[in-house]
Amino acid sequence: DFVLVWETVPWEWSRQQDSHENGGLQERSATIHRTWRKKFLDKLHAAGIHMEKHMTHVEKKVVHYLLLSAPWSVLCYYAEELQLRVPLQALPRQTSNWSASMLRRLGIPNLMAQEVPNLPLDYYTCPFKANKLRWFLGSDEQDTFFSTTQRHQILYEILATTQYGHSREREVGVDRLLSENVFTAAFPLHEARHLCLLGIHPTAGPASPASPLRTPSLSPQGPYKLRPEELAAGSLSQRQVLFQYWASWGKWSKYQPLDHVRKYFGEKVAFYFAWLGFYTGWLLPAAVVGTVVFITGIFLMFSDVPSQEICASKEQYWMCPLCKTCPYWQLSKICSMFMAGRLFDHGGTIFFSIFMALWAVLFLEFWKRTNASLAHHWDCSEFEDIEERPRPQFKAMAPMTIINPITGAEEPYFPKSSRLHRILAGSMVIIMMIAMVVMFVVSVILYRAVVAILLSSSGYFWFVDSASRIASITGSVVNLIFILILSKIYISLAHFLTKWEMHRTQTKYEDAFTFKVFVFQFVTFYSSPVYIAFFKGKFVGYPGNYLSFLGVRNEECSPGGCFIELAQELLVIMVGKQIINNVQEVAIPKLKCWWHKHKLLSTKNASEEGESVMVEQAPWVMDHQLLVFEGLFEEYLEMVLQFGFITIFVAACPLAPLFALLNNWVEIRLDAHKFVCDYRRPVAERAQGIGIWFSILEAITHLAVISNAFLIAFTSDFLPRVYYEYVHDSSLHGYVNFTLAYAPWDFVLQSNTTCRYAAFRDRDGNLTLTYWQLLAIRLGFIIVFEHVVFFIGRVIAWLVPDIPESVEVKVKRERYLAKEALAENKV
C-alpha cells in the first residue's frame, strides 16, 4: 500500500569522502537519523503494519525500500476512524455529459464519446461501521472491499500521525522525517498488474530482504505502456486505461474518463480535471464570438474614416514632442499603428464585453450544477461540513482538545485567538511583499519612460520612429521576468506562513495558502495591464506644463493609443506565460525523470550481478524514479489567471478566449500525461469541489464587469466617436481634428512652432466644455453598463438552480437507504 525509501552510505565509502571534522558531523547526523527511523518503524510495527524490505546499490549508496501494507483489522479500525464511505447498493449507470444527452436527443452522432473499458460501478454509499460490516456490499472479500485509494489514505494517516520523538519538538509524522532527510521518499505505488508476478501480495507479511526476486523481464518504459497482446486481450490495469484513453494525444477531442480518474487519483484530482474540461468546453463559444468580433475589426479597419484621414494627412498635423529632447513629428507616421488599433477598438467591443460578462456568470452558475452532480456522484457532497477530519499534522501538534459541536467527538484544538494573531502577523508579511511588487511595477514604468526618451533622442530613424513601441514591448518582457522570479520566492514564504497558522482541516489549510498566493500573483500579473489600461497617459499635462514623477515626465500612450498597447501587453504576458509554462511542463519533468533514472540505472543487486535487471525493474524502483507530486495549486493558478485575462481585459483583446482555448486543449493532455507517466502516484484526497478557487472566480467575474466598463469609457475611443457622430458629423469626417488641441500660446512662442496634441483643451491649456460633456457621458455609461450586466447576471443566477432536481432526489434516496441499512433494529 505504501513505500518508504531511504539512503545510507557504506562505512568504507563514508571514510574516504570527507575530512575528519566533516565526517564526524555527518556521522552524528546519521546516528540521529537512524535513531528516529528505528523508533518510527518500531511504532509502525506495533500498530500492526506489515513490512517487507529490499535494498539496491546506487553509486556508492545503498537505497532501502520498505514496502508497507495494512492487515484487515487495521484497515477496519482506521476506515471507521476516517469515516471512509463504502458501498451499500449498486446503481444503474447514468451519463454525466449534458452535451451527450443533447446530441442524442437531436439524433446527431457524438464524435466526443468513446468506449472506455473497466468502467467503475456506481453505488449508494455511507460511512463505514465495523459492527455493521455484513450490510455492506462485498464485505466477504477482504482483499478488495477497500479500494486501493482508501488503503493509501489509511496508510498515510498512520504515517502522518506516528510519533518518533518529543511532541513538543513536533517530532511527529512522515512529513517531518522527509523534510529532515531521514527518508528520501514516501509514496503509494502506481497500479502494476505484475505485482503478482513478483510474488508479492498486497497484504503479504514480512519477507526476507535477501530472498531473490524471481520475475520475468519487464518493459523498461513502465507498466503504463501497452503491448499489442495486452491491448488485444483487453485486460488492462487502471493506469494503462488512463494512459490509453486519457493521457494519449490522440484523445484530445474525446470526453475525459473522469470516473476512472477519480477511482485512481481521488476526488481532488478528479475535480480539477472535471473543472478544466468544463472550462475548456465553455471557451469554445467565447472563442468563436471573439474571433468573429476580431474579423469584423479587420473589415472596419479598411473602411474607417479617421484612419483614412490620418493616413492621408501627410504634413497637415505636426505633433508636439513626446519628450524634452524629442523632435516634432507628423501624425501621418502613425497610420499603420492607428489602423492596427481599430482591430480591437470598435463597436463590436461593447457587444463582446457584455457577452463575456454574461458568459462568465453563466459559466459559474452551470459549474455549480455540475459540481453538485459530481460531488453527489463521487460521495463527497457533505465532506467539508461533516466528514472531513483534522489534518494529521494539526492533530499531532495541537496543544489541547475540544468536543466537536457537530460530531460530538473529541478533537485536537488550537485557540482561535492565537491563530488570529498568527494570521495578522502573516498578513503584514504579505503586505510587505505586495509593496515590493508595486515598487517593481514603478521601476518598470520608469524603465519604459527612460528607454523611450533615450531611443527618441538617439538620432537613428528606426529607433526614433518606434521608441514608444520598443519601450512598451521590452518593458512587458522585463515585467514577465520579475513576475517569474518573485513568484518562486513568495510561494515558499506562503507555505511557511500557512503551516504556522495551524489550520484545522486540509481544505482550510489549502484555502488559506491559495488566497495568500493568489493575492500576490494577482497584483504581480495584473499590475502592468491595469496601469496601461487606466493610468498611463491620463496624467500627462500639456505642452509647457507637463507633469512628472520622480523627476521623469509621466508616460504618454504611444501614438496609436493605449488600447493597442494594452493588447500588446496582454499577448506578451498571457501568451508568453502559457508558452513558457507548457515548455516547462513538457521539458522539466522529462529532464528530471531522465536524470533520476540515469542515477538509478547503475543499480546492482546486493547479492550478485546477475540479478540486477530483476531488481531495477521492480515497481517500487520504477516509481522511485518518477517525480514527486507537489499538489494542484500551480495548475489551478495558471488557469484562474488565464480566466482573469480573458474576462477583465477582454475589451482590449477579443482573441484572448481563442488563445486560451488552444492552450487548454494542450494543457489537459499535458497534465494527464504528467499524472499518469511522470509523477509518483499521489495519496488520494477527498474534496467537495474546487475549493476557494470558485470564490476567486466569482470575484474576478464581478471585477471584470467593472473593468470593462472603465476600459470602454476611458481607454477606448468608442464614446468620443459616438459623441462626435451625434453632435457634429455622422460620417466621422473631421474627427481627427476634433480630438487634437493646439499647443498653448506660451509654448508656441518659446519654440516658434505651432503643434497639436491629443486632448480637449483651448489655446490657454484649459479643459473645454466638450471634455466635461464627454466625462459625464463616460460616467453615465459606466453606471448603465454595470447595472444592466449585473441585473442580467442576477436574473440568470435566479433562473438556474445550484443543484439539479435529479441530484436532490438521489440525495434523499441515499439517506433513506443508509438509515435503513444501519438501523439498530436490523442487527
Short mmCIF file of all heavy atoms in Angstrom, two decimals, residues 32 89 172 192 218 323 331 342 351 356 362 404 426 474 509-510 513 537 580 616 624 628 638-639 644 652 670 708 825:
data_model
loop_
_atom_site.label_atom_id
_atom_site.label_comp_id
_atom_site.label_asym_id
_atom_site.label_seq_id
_atom_site.Cartn_x
_atom_site.Cartn_y
_atom_site.Cartn_z
N ILE A 32 21.57 10.21 14.52
CA ILE A 32 20.25 10.75 14.90
C ILE A 32 19.17 10.22 13.95
O ILE A 32 18.09 9.80 14.37
CB ILE A 32 20.28 12.30 14.88
CG1 ILE A 32 21.21 12.82 15.98
CG2 ILE A 32 18.88 12.87 15.07
CD1 ILE A 32 21.49 14.30 15.89
N GLN A 89 -25.39 -0.27 -2.05
CA GLN A 89 -26.24 -0.83 -3.10
C GLN A 89 -25.76 -0.31 -4.45
O GLN A 89 -25.42 0.87 -4.58
CB GLN A 89 -27.70 -0.42 -2.86
CG GLN A 89 -28.69 -0.91 -3.91
CD GLN A 89 -30.09 -0.42 -3.62
OE1 GLN A 89 -30.52 -0.40 -2.47
NE2 GLN A 89 -30.81 -0.03 -4.65
N VAL A 172 6.90 14.42 14.88
CA VAL A 172 5.75 13.57 14.59
C VAL A 172 5.55 13.50 13.08
O VAL A 172 5.63 14.52 12.40
CB VAL A 172 4.46 14.15 15.24
CG1 VAL A 172 3.25 13.28 14.91
CG2 VAL A 172 4.61 14.29 16.73
N ALA A 192 0.23 -1.84 -10.77
CA ALA A 192 1.02 -2.65 -11.69
C ALA A 192 0.48 -4.06 -11.66
O ALA A 192 0.45 -4.70 -10.62
CB ALA A 192 2.49 -2.65 -11.28
N LEU A 218 10.75 -7.17 -17.50
CA LEU A 218 9.64 -6.24 -17.64
C LEU A 218 10.06 -5.08 -18.54
O LEU A 218 11.22 -4.75 -18.66
CB LEU A 218 9.23 -5.70 -16.26
CG LEU A 218 8.83 -6.77 -15.24
CD1 LEU A 218 8.61 -6.12 -13.89
CD2 LEU A 218 7.60 -7.50 -15.69
N CYS A 323 8.98 64.16 -25.66
CA CYS A 323 9.89 64.38 -24.54
C CYS A 323 10.65 65.68 -24.79
O CYS A 323 10.51 66.28 -25.85
CB CYS A 323 10.84 63.19 -24.36
SG CYS A 323 11.97 62.94 -25.75
N LEU A 331 1.57 63.36 -37.72
CA LEU A 331 0.55 62.38 -37.33
C LEU A 331 0.43 61.26 -38.36
O LEU A 331 0.09 60.13 -38.01
CB LEU A 331 -0.80 63.09 -37.16
CG LEU A 331 -1.94 62.25 -36.56
CD1 LEU A 331 -1.58 61.79 -35.16
CD2 LEU A 331 -3.24 63.05 -36.55
N ARG A 342 -7.62 49.85 -34.55
CA ARG A 342 -9.03 49.66 -34.91
C ARG A 342 -9.42 48.19 -34.93
O ARG A 342 -10.61 47.87 -34.90
CB ARG A 342 -9.31 50.26 -36.29
CG ARG A 342 -9.14 51.76 -36.37
CD ARG A 342 -10.07 52.47 -35.43
NE ARG A 342 -11.47 52.26 -35.78
CZ ARG A 342 -12.46 52.18 -34.91
NH1 ARG A 342 -12.22 52.29 -33.62
NH2 ARG A 342 -13.71 51.99 -35.31
N PHE A 351 -20.29 45.00 -27.51
CA PHE A 351 -21.07 43.76 -27.52
C PHE A 351 -20.27 42.61 -26.89
O PHE A 351 -20.81 41.85 -26.07
CB PHE A 351 -21.44 43.42 -28.97
CG PHE A 351 -21.86 41.98 -29.15
CD1 PHE A 351 -23.11 41.56 -28.73
CD2 PHE A 351 -21.00 41.06 -29.72
CE1 PHE A 351 -23.50 40.24 -28.88
CE2 PHE A 351 -21.37 39.75 -29.87
CZ PHE A 351 -22.63 39.33 -29.45
N MET A 356 -19.05 38.57 -22.76
CA MET A 356 -18.11 37.84 -21.89
C MET A 356 -18.50 37.95 -20.42
O MET A 356 -18.29 37.01 -19.64
CB MET A 356 -16.69 38.35 -22.10
CG MET A 356 -16.05 37.86 -23.40
SD MET A 356 -16.01 36.07 -23.58
CE MET A 356 -14.91 35.61 -22.25
N LEU A 362 -22.82 32.80 -16.52
CA LEU A 362 -23.42 31.52 -16.90
C LEU A 362 -22.47 30.36 -16.64
O LEU A 362 -22.88 29.30 -16.16
CB LEU A 362 -23.80 31.55 -18.39
CG LEU A 362 -25.18 32.12 -18.73
CD1 LEU A 362 -25.30 32.29 -20.23
CD2 LEU A 362 -26.29 31.22 -18.21
N ASN A 404 -16.13 18.45 19.33
CA ASN A 404 -16.67 18.99 18.09
C ASN A 404 -18.18 19.16 18.23
O ASN A 404 -18.89 18.19 18.50
CB ASN A 404 -16.35 18.03 16.93
CG ASN A 404 -16.73 18.61 15.58
OD1 ASN A 404 -17.79 19.19 15.42
ND2 ASN A 404 -15.85 18.43 14.60
N GLY A 426 1.15 37.18 9.65
CA GLY A 426 1.40 36.74 8.27
C GLY A 426 0.91 37.74 7.26
O GLY A 426 1.54 37.95 6.21
N THR A 474 9.62 45.78 -24.56
CA THR A 474 10.71 45.34 -23.67
C THR A 474 10.31 45.48 -22.21
O THR A 474 10.70 44.66 -21.37
CB THR A 474 11.99 46.17 -23.94
OG1 THR A 474 11.70 47.57 -23.79
CG2 THR A 474 12.54 45.88 -25.32
N TYR A 509 -6.56 24.70 5.24
CA TYR A 509 -5.13 24.95 5.02
C TYR A 509 -4.89 25.37 3.57
O TYR A 509 -4.21 26.38 3.30
CB TYR A 509 -4.34 23.69 5.36
CG TYR A 509 -2.87 23.75 5.00
CD1 TYR A 509 -1.94 24.29 5.88
CD2 TYR A 509 -2.42 23.29 3.77
CE1 TYR A 509 -0.60 24.36 5.55
CE2 TYR A 509 -1.08 23.35 3.43
CZ TYR A 509 -0.18 23.88 4.32
OH TYR A 509 1.15 23.95 3.98
N GLU A 510 -5.45 24.60 2.64
CA GLU A 510 -5.23 24.91 1.22
C GLU A 510 -5.91 26.20 0.81
O GLU A 510 -5.38 26.95 -0.02
CB GLU A 510 -5.70 23.74 0.37
CG GLU A 510 -4.82 22.51 0.52
CD GLU A 510 -5.27 21.34 -0.33
OE1 GLU A 510 -6.29 21.49 -1.04
OE2 GLU A 510 -4.63 20.29 -0.29
N PHE A 513 -3.66 29.05 2.02
CA PHE A 513 -2.47 29.15 1.18
C PHE A 513 -2.82 29.72 -0.20
O PHE A 513 -2.13 30.61 -0.72
CB PHE A 513 -1.83 27.76 1.02
CG PHE A 513 -0.71 27.70 0.04
CD1 PHE A 513 0.53 28.23 0.35
CD2 PHE A 513 -0.90 27.15 -1.23
CE1 PHE A 513 1.56 28.19 -0.57
CE2 PHE A 513 0.12 27.10 -2.14
CZ PHE A 513 1.36 27.63 -1.81
N GLY A 537 -1.00 57.75 -19.56
CA GLY A 537 -1.50 58.78 -20.46
C GLY A 537 -2.62 59.63 -19.91
O GLY A 537 -3.10 60.54 -20.58
N ILE A 580 5.77 29.52 -22.01
CA ILE A 580 6.82 29.16 -21.04
C ILE A 580 6.34 28.01 -20.15
O ILE A 580 7.06 27.03 -19.91
CB ILE A 580 7.21 30.39 -20.20
CG1 ILE A 580 7.98 31.40 -21.06
CG2 ILE A 580 8.06 29.97 -18.99
CD1 ILE A 580 8.21 32.74 -20.39
N GLU A 616 16.16 -3.70 -10.62
CA GLU A 616 15.96 -2.34 -11.11
C GLU A 616 14.58 -2.16 -11.74
O GLU A 616 14.11 -1.04 -11.85
CB GLU A 616 17.05 -1.96 -12.10
CG GLU A 616 16.91 -2.60 -13.47
CD GLU A 616 18.05 -2.22 -14.40
OE1 GLU A 616 19.09 -1.83 -13.89
OE2 GLU A 616 17.88 -2.33 -15.61
N HIS A 624 10.05 5.06 -7.81
CA HIS A 624 11.00 5.96 -7.15
C HIS A 624 11.69 6.88 -8.15
O HIS A 624 12.12 7.99 -7.82
CB HIS A 624 12.04 5.13 -6.37
CG HIS A 624 12.96 5.96 -5.54
ND1 HIS A 624 14.29 5.68 -5.39
CD2 HIS A 624 12.73 7.09 -4.81
CE1 HIS A 624 14.85 6.59 -4.61
NE2 HIS A 624 13.94 7.45 -4.24
N VAL A 628 8.08 13.82 -7.67
CA VAL A 628 7.19 13.99 -6.51
C VAL A 628 6.01 14.87 -6.93
O VAL A 628 6.18 15.92 -7.54
CB VAL A 628 7.93 14.65 -5.33
CG1 VAL A 628 6.99 14.86 -4.15
CG2 VAL A 628 9.13 13.81 -4.93
N GLU A 638 -2.56 28.78 -12.83
CA GLU A 638 -2.37 29.10 -14.24
C GLU A 638 -3.70 29.33 -14.95
O GLU A 638 -3.87 30.28 -15.71
CB GLU A 638 -1.60 27.95 -14.91
CG GLU A 638 -1.30 28.17 -16.38
CD GLU A 638 -0.65 26.97 -17.02
OE1 GLU A 638 -0.29 26.01 -16.31
OE2 GLU A 638 -0.51 26.99 -18.25
N MET A 639 -4.68 28.46 -14.67
CA MET A 639 -5.98 28.56 -15.34
C MET A 639 -6.80 29.75 -14.84
O MET A 639 -7.47 30.42 -15.62
CB MET A 639 -6.77 27.26 -15.13
CG MET A 639 -6.22 26.06 -15.85
SD MET A 639 -6.23 26.27 -17.66
CE MET A 639 -4.50 26.59 -17.98
N GLY A 644 -8.85 35.36 -15.66
CA GLY A 644 -8.83 36.80 -15.42
C GLY A 644 -8.48 37.60 -16.66
O GLY A 644 -9.11 38.62 -16.96
N ALA A 652 -10.00 44.71 -24.71
CA ALA A 652 -8.79 45.10 -25.45
C ALA A 652 -8.25 43.98 -26.32
O ALA A 652 -7.39 44.23 -27.16
CB ALA A 652 -7.71 45.54 -24.47
N LEU A 670 -1.40 17.48 -21.46
CA LEU A 670 -0.10 17.61 -20.79
C LEU A 670 -0.22 17.20 -19.32
O LEU A 670 0.60 16.44 -18.80
CB LEU A 670 0.39 19.06 -20.87
CG LEU A 670 1.25 19.48 -22.05
CD1 LEU A 670 1.63 20.94 -21.92
CD2 LEU A 670 2.49 18.63 -22.14
N ASN A 708 -14.24 46.28 -17.56
CA ASN A 708 -14.61 46.51 -18.96
C ASN A 708 -15.40 47.78 -19.13
O ASN A 708 -15.27 48.47 -20.16
CB ASN A 708 -15.39 45.30 -19.49
CG ASN A 708 -14.49 44.14 -19.84
OD1 ASN A 708 -13.61 44.25 -20.68
ND2 ASN A 708 -14.68 43.01 -19.18
N ASN A 825 -32.33 -1.83 14.83
CA ASN A 825 -33.23 -2.98 14.91
C ASN A 825 -32.95 -4.02 13.84
O ASN A 825 -33.57 -5.08 13.83
CB ASN A 825 -34.70 -2.52 14.83
CG ASN A 825 -34.98 -1.80 13.52
OD1 ASN A 825 -34.13 -1.75 12.65
ND2 ASN A 825 -36.19 -1.25 13.40
#
